[in-house]
Amino acid sequence: RSRVHMLSTSADISLRPLSQKVSEDKTLLRYIENVIRPRRKSRGSKVYQHVNAGMTVFTGSTAIDKLARKLRLRLVEASADDLYWGTKQGRYVIFTLDHGTCPAT
């Protein structure tokens, strides 16, 4: 089984994030989905194979969350909404709400 696939968004030279470009390109989305879940014919109808696939990215964002939903993949990381709690500001909020004060850093 081949595991390397070349994808191109050469028609779109805008400065938007790649995840947003892929999410808006229906042809590319169908291609990626077919690579992840190859279609097989079963009694005259097309059926997607069940695949336990996930998506891992370096930096999460709402565009990545949207792309994962469109591809029906689980995101193997915190969602963009949860990334805030790993920052210094998020830590401050958690300690302030729980203890009333935040320990010095």
Side-chain angles (χ1 to χ4, degrees):
R1 178 174 162 180
S2 177
R3 297 195 183 269
V4 177
H5 299 271
M6 292 294 291
L7 307 174
S8 175
T9 60
S10 59
D12 187 350
I13 59 170
S14 66
L15 296 177
R16 295 177 303 143
L18 179 61
S19 54
Q20 187 177 359
K21 291 179 186 181
V22 171
S23 185
E24 294 171 1
D25 187 337
K26 291 180 183 178
T27 306
L28 195 51
L29 276 173
R30 268 185 270 139
Y31 176 79
I32 294 170
E33 192 166 83
N34 194 39
V35 168
I36 296 169
R37 292 178 197 87
R39 291 184 185 134
R40 63 177 184 203
K41 294 200 176 191
S42 172
R43 296 188 183 139
S45 63
K46 291 182 179 178
V47 178
Y48 285 104
Q49 292 181 7
H50 175 72
V51 177
N52 186 17
M55 191 164 92
T56 304
V57 295
F58 182 70
T59 305
S61 68
T62 54
I64 291 290
D65 293 348
K66 183 178 177 182
L67 180 59
R69 280 192 303 274
K70 282 189 172 190
L71 291 171
R72 297 185 321 235
L73 294 173
R74 61 188 167 84
L75 200 53
V76 189
E77 66 174 17
S79 69
D81 294 333
D82 296 333
L83 291 176
Y84 170 76
W85 302 110
T87 64
K88 286 184 178 182
Q89 294 88 358
R91 174 182 166 272
Y92 179 79
V93 170
I94 290 170
F95 275 101
T96 303
L97 291 175
D98 193 36
H99 301 293
T101 61
C102 184
T105 56

